[in-house]
Every structure is written in C-alpha cells, then in structure tokens.
Amino acid sequence: MNIARYSIERPTSSWIFLLILLIGGTIALQNLGRLEDPEFTIKQALVVTPYPGASPQQVEEEITVPLENVLQELPYIRHITSTSTAGQSQIMVEMQDQYRAKELAQIWDELRRKVNDYARHLPPGAGPIVVQDDFSDVYGVLLALTGDGYSLPALRDHAKYLRRELALVPGVAKVVIAGEQQEQVVAEVSRARLANLGIPPQRIYELLATQNTVSNAGRVRLQDDAVRFATSGEFSSVEQLSTLIISNPGAREQIFLGDVATIYRQVEPIPRQILRFNGDASLWIGVSFANNVNVVEVGKQLNQRLAELTYATPVGMELTPIYDQPAEVNKSVSGFLMNLAQAVVIVMVALLLTMGLRSGFIIGLVLLLTVLGTFIFMHLFNINLHRVSLGALIIALGMLVDNAIVITEGMLVGIQKGQTRLRAAQDVIRQNAMPLLGATVIAIIAFAPIGLSADATGEFAGALFWVLLISLGLSWITALILIPFLGDRLFRKGVPVAGSERDLYNKPIYNGYRRLLQVALRHRIVTMLMMLVLLGGSVVGFQAVKQSFFPSSNTPLFFVDFWYPQGTDIRATAEDLQAAEQWLQQQEAVTQVATTVGRGAPRFSLPYLVELDNENYGQLLVRVNSSDDMPNMIAATRDYLAQFHPNARTKIKRMEIGPPVKAAVEVRFIGSDPDTLRQLSAQAQAILSADPGLTFVRDNWRERGKVLRPQFNETHARRVGISKQDVDDLLLANFRGKRVGVYRDGTDLLPILVRAPEEERVYLEQWHDIQVYSPALNRYVPIAQVIDDIPLEWEESVIQRRDRKRTLTVMADADPLHEETPAQMFARVRPHIEAMTIPSGYEVQWGGEHEASGDARAAVFSSLPLGYLAMFIITVLLFSSTRKALVIWTTVPLSIIGVTIGLLVTQQSFTFMALLGILSLTGMVIKNGIVLVEQVNTEERSGKSPYNALVDAAVSRVRPVTMAAITTIFGMLPLLFDVFFASMAVTIMFGLGFATLLTLIVVPVMFSLMLQRKEAG
C-alpha cells in the first residue's frame, strides 16, 4: 500500500488518526495508575515455628533443619535462610527470579501444603507453624495514632474502628494495625499462702482452664422446639475470678481464689513490639493499595474518609502520617511529568531553531502525538506512571524524532529539488521506510535485555523496555502516516526550489564538514588509529569511574538502626532510644521522629527492608524539612550517637531506590563449628573496620547470650515425685507467668496468667525459698531439694543458616557521608579478606551490593548475545551485505569514549541505569549508521561514482543525524537533576555526542576502507 498517497489523498483518515492520538492520549494520561516507583515482586515467604523452652541449638536441630529439608523439595527455591533463636525458628524462603506475583500465589499454596504435611512430625510442644506469604505487602500510607492520657487498649479500640472504615474505601486492599500489645488477665498467687493451705498449684491451673471454656451440652426437644443447653458459670467480669472456689475436694472450709491471689487486667509487660511517635506511645495503621490503581486518587478518597471520621475520634487522639505514598507519588509523578513537558518543549524549540519553523512544527507536533499515543497503549497494557516509565519516555524523546526528522528532511529536500509534495513524500518513504523500520527495531532490541531480565532489578526497570517498545514503534507509524499528511499542508507555499543539488548544501556548515570528511578519507589509517588510541585511553580511564548499583532516594527521610548486645530486654532497648528521640526532636531540621522497637516498621516502601523479631533492635524513622538538610542532620546524628549511645551499634541510612540489599559489603563464612566461624568473623571484622569508608561492622550471629541453667537432681526429684516439667512450670509461673486459660471479652480472647507476686519474683537470689509441690508427699518442698545450683552460662543465642548450611555473615555499610561508592570500598577490602587462611571444609562467599549488582548485570547480559545477534542479522538483511553491517557496528565499541569522558567530567557513578544507558547507545548509534549507509546506496543508484556518493551521502545526512543527537541530548537535560536517572542521562548525552562524530566521520572512513571507496585519480 502507498502510505504517503493514502495519508495525503484521504485526509479524513489522517485527521481521525491524529485526533485519536491527541484526545485519547490526553484521556489515558488522566486515567493511568500512578506510583512513585515501579512495582517489583518480593519473592519471599516467612515460615515461623515457635518451640517454647528450646535452646537455639535444639530449635535448629529439631525444627529448622527438618523444615529446611522439606522446603528444599520445592523446585522453585532460590535460597533458604534461617534464624534459630531460643524458642523460635524463622525460615525465609526466597523463590527464583523468574517467578512473578501471579505464579507466586500458587507457589505459596504448595509451600503451605508441604509445611502442613510435616506439622505432625514436630516435637511435642512445638508449633503451630505460621506461613507469612504477605511479607512483601506494601503499606503505602502509614499513620501514627497517638493520644495523650489514653492507654494502648483505648488506642487499639479506635484503631480497629478506623481499620474497618478505611478498608471500605475503593482502591484500598488491606489495613493493618502495628504495635498492638496483648491484654491479659493476671492472677498473682502467693506461693507462701498456697503452701500454708496445702493447695497444689495444678488445681488452680485446671480450674481456670476449664471454668471458662465453651463446651457443648447438647439439646433437647420440647414439644415442637429444639432447645439447646447452655450451662452458666462462665466469667462475665474479671472480678468474678476472685469468687472461684479453689479449696481441695471434701474440705469443710471454702477457699476462694481471691483469698490467695490478686487478680487484675493489664497489657502484656513484655511486648513483642513497641511503637512511639514523637516520643508518645502509639499504634501505627498501615494501608495498602490494590493493584493498578491511581494511588493519588485513592489517597484523596482516603483523606476524605478520614476527614469524615473526625467526629468519631475521641478528644485528644491524633492521627498523623509517618509516610504518605499518595503525596510522595503526586510530587514524584508531577515532577516527572514536568520534566517530560520540559523535555518536549526543549526538543521542539531545538527543532524550530534548527529545522525551520514549518519543519520544526511538523516534527514537534508528531513528537507530541507519539507521546500521547504511548499513554494510550500504556493504559491498555496496565503500565503505570512512575519513575521508570516516565523516565523511559524522556529517554525516548530524542529517538522518537529520528524517524520524523528523516522523513521531513527527505520530503523537504525533494520539494526543494522541484518534486511535487506527493512525489517527494512517496520517494522518501519508499527509500527509507524499511531501513527506518529496521533501525527502529534495532533500537528497541537494544533495550530488550532490560525487559527480558529475570531478576528483581530487571523487573524493577522492565517498564523501560516496554515503554520504549511502544513509543519507538509508534514513532515509526506516525512518521510514515502523519509527516506526509502534515507536510502536504505546510509545504504548499514558501518552499524555495534550489537550482541544483549542490545549492542545497552550499552552506558554511556543510562545506566545513565536507572538507573535514575529505581529509579523513585521505588519511583513513591515521584517522582510525586515532580512534583506537582514544578507545584505549577511554578503557583505561574507565577504571577511574566510580561504580555503584542504585543511588539513594532524595526523599527527606532517613533511618537510624540501633543494635544492642544480644539478650538485651526490649524494654531496656526502648528506654535507651527515648534519649535519642528527645535529642532529634530538639533539632530544627527535624519535623518528626517515629520509633519502632523489637522489629522493623510495616513495609511502607518496596525497597524498605523489614527487620524480623529482635528484642535488642530499634529503629528511628527521622523526617527532615528537605533533602538539603539531610547531610548536616546525618552528620550531627552520627556524632551524637557516638558520644551518648556507645553501648549500641548504630547505622544511619537513607531511603533506597530499587531492589534493596541488607548491607553494602557482605562476606559469608560457611562451616559447621560456631567457634571457627566466630574466629573468621573476628578477622574479617578487623579488616572491614580498618577501612575508612566503612561503618557499622557486625555479623549476623551477634553476641553469645546468657542462660541460667538449673542443675536438676534427678535422684532427689524421683524420691519426692517431682519431674523436670514440674520445675519448669514452677519457674515459668514464678518469674514470667504461666498461661492456664482464656478470658472472653467480646471479640477478644485474653490469656489468663498465673504468677507469683512481684515481691516474691524480684530477686533471683531468693530462688532457694521457692516452694515446689510434691504429689508424692502431698505438700510443698523447697526447690533446693531438687535443684543443686543455677549457674550462669553462655550459649549461641542466634544460629544462622543459608541453603541448609550454617553461615555466618559479616556485614559493613558505606558511610552515608563518604564520597566513595561501596564498590570502591569493596575493591579495597576484597584482597585482604581473600588472603585469610580458611580451614578445610569451610567456604567464603561474597554478598551485599557486589552480589546483587553482579546478579542484575548477569541477568541482563544473559540475553545480550541473542539480542546483539538479532540486531546484527537485521543490519545485514537491510543491506544484504555483511561488510556494510560491519561498517556500522564498528562504531559501537567506540561510543565508550564519550561515556568515559562524561562520567569522569560529571563525577557520576557507573550505576545499573548507566549500564542500561550504554545498551541504549548501541541502538542509537546503529540507527544513525543505517540512515547514512542507506543514503550512500541511494546516491550510488543515482549514478554517482562510489567516492562522490559516499561524500554526498554523508553531507546530506549531517542535519538529520546531528538533529537526532541534539534533540536527544537536550531532551535528557531534565534527567540530570534526578538522582535515579542522572548517570544514565550523562552516559547517553556524552556517549551520543561523541557517537554522532563517529557516525559522520568513522562510518564513511570505515565504509571507504572495507568497500574500497577511494577518491579518483
């Protein structure tokens, strides 16, 4: 079909196509889902198994190892990491990279079946097993509920009300409450009083356990009615527990529980997590959003609903956002849309100034329509607006005009030669349609490794490929359909007809370039040797370029992690953090401080790493006025912590962009003996601590913990009829409290705990006075009769495993204020670590940013050879010549010259995004080369000598090639100020700037060398 004739002679169709892109794109833009960062699947599930009373080694041997063996049978596993602590096993299961959210739902079901099938083999007292497959849920709105004078139960009641109401807002997927503390009913029973009365503790346990249970008493038929029995006796208030008769059966005197016990209701004294906001006790409410929604719009509805619920908020309670993803997304997306608009305006101005008003207007309008059309397809394929998709559009801007420039330039030149508008359009499309299609496909394939990368980084940046695929493909279609249509209307008048072809290019810039090219062609060998020298210099210079993975976010929020010695009580951790909170709140730059103790916050951002349960862990989430305040505030916080919190290991970190890593530098030691592993850890920590750029050096086995080990005398115990279980129950009830039943309070089930009064459990030194009931003697005896001593010993408090082997990981982080990148620090410490003497049977592995970056690049490079092969084959097929394809491909490695210069001049790091920039350069360079070589063929077919055809073709391609480069370079300017895309922008701007010179000089020279195009005579 003659596309040019159809678009010109059937203007109605062309107008409809134009209006569809214009109006449809505008509507699609309003309806696209909006996110701050692209979604990527965290392919992890957590398997938690309690085993109360077991040591870490017992947990490892009896729970963790068997469960690991069961889980390893799943074919989807990538890594299994486990943490065995006293009384609990936590196994993190990570699936292989290629699985996405849809497949994971089925995988988690299979994992559950495996785990549940094994549950019957758990040792007595262990379980139940809990599988948390929502570990990766993101609660983009995180709110702190505080109330001066309100108790945590009162806050919880209002939080539950808010959870119910907010879950009904359209677009909200889930609402959770963090920081809830279990209420309990406590019966403090005096052991001395029980001993005097001769009542065994087991009687109290049994009565409390059975009195308040729900049991089925059956039913009876009364005439036509079926009536059930419901026996009275359940407690309706805590006070009623005091009236429970506990005297021994047959005793004349009635003894009530209230006679020997103080009964009250309280919040659990040892919580699993403590939350505060600006120093006040609080609960946090996390709201997650449904998939493919406009987060900004849902955020507005959420805020509207919260405003409507103000009437139900008790006076004095406040709900304050800790993290507001809709606001961050609105700011981020609005900023990127502004960058996109600026880039479009910059490109259009550049076109108007260099191509002329009419040509510039045509190309600029087609560019705008192409961008709007891209929004239509993004909406159809559920590609949201976020950092990567909008960045991809900005990256594509320069390439989007390439096709339009070539067609517009060719049509304008044809008219200037005296052709009709229709003939000029037909000729240029016939000549360039297939080469431009091939070049466009090659440019798309250059980004394919990103879209085809299976790992999390590829998933994170995958939208880059899909948006470029849509936009570049659409740019070819709009260039072929809309340029002839618009050119026919705007080139009707005022286009001067040149006297000859030479007159078209008889301008200073063309004449200067012609002379330069002729010199290069006369000295072809020297020209290429100079290029090789520059290439060699750039390869050497690239060694000085800083290496990095992903940059930190510029969100004005930073985290302070506190790690206290292993075994620190959670209440002691919380108390020490209060001083840091107060100091931070006094700083002018700080707007709010949120504190979590015992575990990390709910995941409010995908890159946020949630720390698992640890009583000795605390984290401060510190928000400052602006990102400009971050460096000074981080420096001041670091100095304060070093001076006033020397007993805690602290780590300050900024929010990350992209898939997270636990530590910048990680070295894993794998082996069986804990002592050997700790010796290796000590050596590695000494090496890492000596590096000036590294901080917060630690290992994940942490310190050994203290354990009191009562020495049970089995001989004496047998004589008085006391078992080890009796002793354990007594110690539990005396110091912590033994759970014996439940108390029903509406929808809540409160555990009933029996323990000794505070005055009887304060001093451990009084343990000799504790009385244990002897069933054989029917009386209490001192525990000293069955326990010889209670020495204090040390034990491995944490046992870490990775892929079913004991693994100790030494970690260190880059100083957030240090100029060097983690890659530079890693390069310094690596030789020293690898020089360590490793015992036989032990292994060393590298993790951290080095491993994550390597995995990401390996995933990209795995599909690179196939992509490059496809690109080369397309180039060969376009010209039916391997030598011409080789001419074009010669320029690809030379583009690294500009990249090295750009990164060194701007002091940007070579990040993963810069790597993607280099891949995109390949497509841009080849595309320019194809356009030039195709013009050479056209000139030769017109009857010119090979040499003149080469020179004239190069001269005629000066404006299209340079304009394509200029528009791309100028379009990148807004990305220079975005931390995520800055390195990619520098790579493309400098690489393409130099690559343009390569196209205009090196391609003709190589063409002359390989196809023997010499000047005659």
Side-chain angles (χ1 to χ4, degrees):
M1 185 178 74
N2 194 319
I3 298 175
R5 178 180 292 278
Y6 185 89
S7 67
I8 292 173
E9 294 183 350
R10 299 202 178 183
T12 303
S13 300
S14 299
W15 277 116
I16 290 174
F17 182 52
L18 187 151
L19 291 173
I20 288 174
L21 295 179
L22 180 64
I23 299 172
T26 304
I27 295 172
L29 176 60
Q30 305 303 317
N31 294 322
L32 279 171
R34 302 187 178 205
L35 298 170
E36 183 178 10
D37 290 311
E39 295 177 335
F40 61 90
T41 309
I42 297 179
K43 308 167 184 67
Q44 294 176 332
L46 185 64
V47 180
V48 181
T49 310
Y51 191 9
S55 69
Q57 184 170 341
Q58 288 173 323
V59 169
E60 178 196 28
E61 294 171 349
E62 300 177 33
I63 303 292
T64 303
V65 170
L67 275 176
E68 285 178 346
N69 293 335
V70 169
L71 293 169
Q72 195 64 49
E73 296 174 3
L74 291 170
Y76 324 104
I77 299 291
R78 183 188 182 195
H79 293 299
I80 296 177
T81 55
S82 64
T83 303
S84 300
T85 55
Q88 182 171 263
S89 165
Q90 298 180 86
I91 302 176
M92 186 68 74
V93 186
E94 182 181 354
M95 298 303 164
Q96 295 171 16
D97 288 327
Q98 66 265 30
Y99 299 110
R100 299 293 189 255
K102 291 181 180 178
E103 297 95 341
L104 285 177
Q106 181 65 36
I107 290 173
W108 298 146
D109 286 342
E110 191 170 339
L111 183 148
R112 272 197 176 81
R113 288 197 298 272
K114 285 277 186 185
V115 167
N116 291 335
D117 288 345
Y118 177 77
R120 65 180 183 273
H121 300 296
L122 289 174
I129 303 174
V130 178
V131 178
Q132 299 177 13
D133 60 2
D134 60 352
F135 188 71
S136 60
D137 286 352
V138 177
Y139 303 96
V141 171
L142 191 60
L143 306 168
L145 179 64
T146 56
D148 188 16
Y150 287 94
S151 65
L152 281 175
L155 291 175
R156 185 192 62 180
D157 290 341
H158 187 57
K160 289 169 69 175
Y161 169 75
L162 291 173
R163 177 176 63 186
R164 184 190 69 192
E165 295 298 323
L166 296 181
L168 299 175
V169 175
V172 170
K174 187 190 299 184
V175 182
V176 298
I177 301 172
E180 288 186 271
Q181 295 187 15
Q182 176 69 57
E183 273 195 287
Q184 58 190 17
V185 176
V186 179
E188 290 190 345
V189 181
S190 169
R191 63 172 183 264
R193 181 76 174 137
L194 278 183
N196 290 335
L197 296 172
I199 298 175
Q202 193 62 34
R203 176 162 177 77
I204 296 177
Y205 300 162
E206 291 173 356
L207 287 171
L208 287 173
T210 58
Q211 183 74 15
N212 211 34
T213 58
V214 174
S215 54
N216 183 17
R219 73 177 199 179
V220 66
R221 177 176 176 177
L222 296 179
Q223 296 179 357
D224 293 337
D225 297 327
V227 182
R228 73 181 185 89
F229 292 105
T231 308
S232 65
E234 293 184 14
F235 304 124
S236 58
S237 69
V238 173
E239 290 73 20
Q240 282 188 341
L241 290 171
S242 301
T243 63
L244 183 66
I245 298 174
I246 63 170
S247 49
N248 290 320
R252 288 184 299 173
E253 182 182 7
Q254 284 191 336
I255 301 172
F256 299 95
L257 182 60
D259 296 333
V260 297
T262 302
I263 303 168
Y264 57 92
R265 181 171 173 166
Q266 69 162 188
V267 173
E268 186 179 18
I270 307 177
R272 293 187 61 185
Q273 184 178 22
I274 298 173
L275 298 178
R276 289 196 291 262
F277 182 74
N278 286 339
D280 298 325
S282 71
L283 296 178
W284 294 357
I285 300 172
V287 181
S288 68
F289 299 103
N291 293 328
N292 299 318
V293 297
N294 188 327
V295 170
V296 176
E297 291 302 319
V298 178
K300 291 178 181 177
Q301 296 180 49
L302 198 64
N303 290 333
Q304 180 181 343
R305 185 58 183 147
L306 286 172
E308 293 170 355
L309 296 174
T310 303
Y311 77 94
T313 303
V315 177
M317 282 194 190
E318 292 184 15
L319 199 62
T320 312
I322 298 172
Y323 189 80
D324 187 355
Q325 189 185 64
E328 298 291 343
V329 168
N330 188 41
K331 183 169 64 175
S332 174
V333 172
S334 297
F336 262 96
L337 284 172
M338 183 59 68
N339 288 344
L340 179 61
Q342 290 173 353
V344 171
V345 170
I346 289 170
V347 170
M348 293 180 73
V349 169
L351 290 168
L352 290 170
L353 293 177
T354 55
M355 297 289 293
L357 292 179
R358 281 179 289 188
S359 296
F361 175 78
I362 291 173
I363 298 169
L365 178 59
V366 170
L367 168 64
L368 179 62
L369 293 171
T370 303
V371 171
L372 290 173
T374 302
F375 290 139
I376 297 174
F377 287 96
M378 287 174 63
H379 183 66
L380 292 174
F381 296 124
N382 291 322
I383 300 174
N384 297 317
L385 287 179
H386 46 63
R387 185 191 307 273
V388 172
S389 60
L390 285 169
L393 278 174
I394 297 174
I395 293 167
L397 282 181
M399 293 185 284
L400 294 183
V401 298
D402 287 1
N403 295 325
I405 287 174
V406 171
I407 301 298
T408 304
E409 169 80 2
M411 186 174 177
L412 182 62
V413 169
I415 295 171
Q416 290 174 334
K417 289 180 178 179
Q419 294 178 342
T420 64
R421 296 186 303 278
L422 176 60
R423 176 63 183 276
Q426 287 177 318
D427 285 353
V428 72
I429 288 179
R430 184 175 61 253
Q431 174 188 334
N432 291 289
M434 294 313 296
L436 287 179
L437 176 61
T440 301
V441 171
I442 286 173
I444 292 170
I445 293 175
F447 287 91
I450 309 164
L452 300 177
S453 176
D455 88 325
T457 309
E459 187 178 0
F460 180 81
L464 198 66
F465 166 70
W466 297 109
V467 172
L468 284 162
L469 169 65
I470 293 168
S471 58
L472 289 177
L474 190 59
S475 74
W476 181 77
I477 296 172
T478 54
L480 266 58
I481 295 175
L482 294 180
I483 296 294
F485 167 68
L486 295 171
D488 179 64
R489 276 148 182 77
L490 293 180
F491 292 150
R492 290 181 177 180
K493 296 180 181 180
V495 179
V497 177
S500 65
E501 184 176 342
R502 180 170 293 275
D503 292 340
L504 286 174
Y505 302 106
N506 189 19
K507 297 176 183 177
I509 188 169
Y510 292 120
N511 293 331
Y513 168 68
R514 184 186 294 271
R515 287 192 292 270
L516 176 63
L517 177 60
Q518 288 172 339
V519 170
L521 288 171
R522 279 197 295 269
H523 306 283
R524 296 176 299 179
I525 302 300
V526 174
T527 301
M528 294 312 301
L529 286 176
M530 289 173 59
M531 290 297 109
L532 290 175
V533 169
L534 284 173
L535 177 61
S538 67
V539 172
V540 174
F542 196 80
Q543 307 302 315
V545 174
K546 294 185 290 185
Q547 305 287 313
S548 185
F549 187 32
F550 278 110
S552 297
S553 170
N554 53 9
T555 302
L557 183 70
F558 68 91
F559 312 120
V560 186
D561 288 345
F562 289 76
W563 286 96
Y564 292 86
Q566 189 65 24
T568 301
D569 190 281
I570 189 172
R571 292 162 291 186
T573 303
E575 289 166 6
D576 192 74
L577 257 63
Q578 278 185 317
E581 291 173 31
Q582 293 169 3
W583 179 84
L584 283 164
Q585 286 177 255
Q586 294 168 4
Q587 309 306 305
E588 291 184 4
V590 175
T591 58
Q592 65 183 39
V593 181
T595 306
T596 174
V597 184
R599 64 173 300 151
R603 191 189 300 275
F604 56 87
S605 173
L606 266 173
Y608 176 77
L609 282 171
V610 180
E611 191 63 44
L612 301 181
D613 294 342
N614 278 295
E615 287 193 41
N616 58 322
Y617 171 78
Q619 185 181 66
L620 304 180
L621 288 72
V622 185
R623 183 174 285 274
V624 296
N625 291 315
S626 70
S627 55
D628 295 335
D629 295 320
M630 295 277 280
N632 291 335
M633 198 61 240
I634 289 175
T637 304
R638 183 181 58 184
D639 295 341
Y640 163 79
L641 295 174
Q643 183 175 358
F644 294 100
H645 295 268
N647 60 326
R649 291 185 176 184
T650 57
K651 171 184 175 180
I652 302 176
K653 59 183 178 182
R654 304 178 68 161
M655 283 191 69
E656 298 295 323
I657 299 175
V661 290
K662 197 170 185 66
V665 177
E666 289 183 11
V667 55
R668 294 189 285 264
F669 296 103
I670 302 168
S672 57
D673 180 45
D675 291 332
T676 304
L677 292 175
R678 288 191 178 277
Q679 291 170 7
L680 294 171
S681 170
Q683 296 177 49
Q685 289 191 53
I687 294 170
L688 297 178
S689 298
D691 190 276
L694 292 173
T695 183
F696 190 42
V697 180
R698 75 280 188 196
D699 67 50
N700 63 347
W701 281 49
R702 299 189 281 278
E703 301 83 6
R704 286 189 170 97
K706 300 172 185 176
V707 58
L708 290 166
R709 201 176 298 281
Q711 303 299 303
F712 183 67
N713 190 318
E714 188 172 351
T715 303
H716 292 173
R718 293 283 185 186
R719 188 178 301 130
V720 294
I722 295 173
S723 66
K724 176 181 175 296
Q725 182 68 51
D726 294 331
V727 174
D728 288 342
D729 287 345
L730 175 64
L731 293 173
L732 176 63
N734 192 76
F735 291 101
R736 176 72 184 270
K738 179 178 175 63
R739 178 171 176 168
V740 296
V742 293
Y743 171 78
R744 288 177 175 78
D745 182 16
T747 58
D748 296 326
L749 298 179
L750 278 57
I752 300 174
L753 268 71
V754 175
R755 70 183 180 201
E758 186 175 1
E759 62 271 12
E760 295 184 13
R761 56 186 162 88
V762 170
Y763 302 107
L764 180 63
E765 293 81 0
Q766 298 176 347
W767 70 269
H768 298 84
D769 300 331
I770 300 176
Q771 301 286 311
V772 58
Y773 187 78
S774 167
L777 302 178
N778 201 25
R779 62 181 175 84
Y780 285 85
V781 298
I783 196 174
Q785 289 191 17
V786 295
I787 296 295
D788 296 333
D789 194 12
I790 305 183
L792 182 66
E793 298 180 359
W794 295 91
E795 69 174 354
E796 294 293 345
S797 55
V798 180
I799 299 176
Q800 302 279 2
R801 296 168 61 86
R802 188 174 192 269
D803 294 335
R804 301 164 64 190
K805 299 177 183 178
R806 284 182 173 177
T807 305
L808 185 150
T809 305
V810 179
M811 296 169 282
D813 287 282
D815 189 325
L817 300 178
H818 207 278
E819 291 297 323
E820 291 182 310
T821 64
Q824 291 173 296
M825 302 169 196
F826 172 76
R828 276 201 305 269
V829 300
R830 180 175 187 172
H832 301 291
I833 296 288
E834 294 182 347
M836 290 170 50
T837 301
I838 306 299
S840 176
Y842 288 76
E843 302 175 49
V844 179
Q845 292 180 356
W846 289 104
E849 189 172 298
H850 170 74
E851 181 181 51
S853 177
D855 289 345
R857 291 175 180 175
V860 170
F861 286 125
S862 64
S863 55
L864 201 61
L866 186 60
Y868 271 40
L869 178 61
M871 293 161 66
F872 184 75
I873 290 173
I874 292 171
T875 314
V876 172
L877 293 176
L878 281 174
F879 301 105
S880 301
S881 169
T882 304
R883 285 191 293 175
K884 289 180 180 179
L886 289 173
V887 166
I888 296 169
W889 276 79
T890 304
T891 60
V892 172
L894 295 177
S895 61
I896 193 67
I897 300 170
V899 173
T900 302
I901 294 171
L903 293 175
L904 289 175
V905 168
T906 60
Q907 289 297 295
Q908 284 286 338
S909 300
F910 184 72
T911 64
F912 181 76
M913 298 307 293
L915 171 64
L916 303 186
I918 287 183
L919 296 182
S920 68
L921 272 177
T922 303
M924 296 177 189
V925 170
I926 292 174
K927 189 173 186 180
N928 286 338
I930 288 173
V931 171
L932 196 155
V933 173
E934 175 59 29
Q935 186 64 30
V936 174
N937 291 343
T938 302
E939 298 290 345
E940 288 185 344
R941 285 195 295 269
S942 68
K944 294 182 181 180
S945 67
Y947 177 81
N948 289 333
L950 177 61
V951 174
D952 289 347
V955 171
S956 68
R957 293 292 92 185
V958 167
R959 186 158 70 163
V961 170
T962 54
M963 277 311 305
I966 289 171
T967 52
T968 301
I969 291 169
F970 278 99
M972 287 285 166
L973 285 175
L975 290 185
L976 283 177
F977 306 100
D978 182 86
V979 293
F980 184 70
F981 281 108
S983 62
M984 174 184 268
V986 167
T987 299
I988 293 176
M989 290 173 73
F990 282 84
L992 187 59
F994 198 86
T996 303
L997 175 64
L998 299 179
T999 302
L1000 295 174
I1001 299 295
V1002 175
V1003 169
V1005 170
M1006 284 300 299
F1007 196 97
S1008 175
L1009 278 171
M1010 296 189 68
L1011 287 94
Q1012 299 300 312
R1013 300 306 199 254
K1014 296 182 181 180
E1015 187 174 6

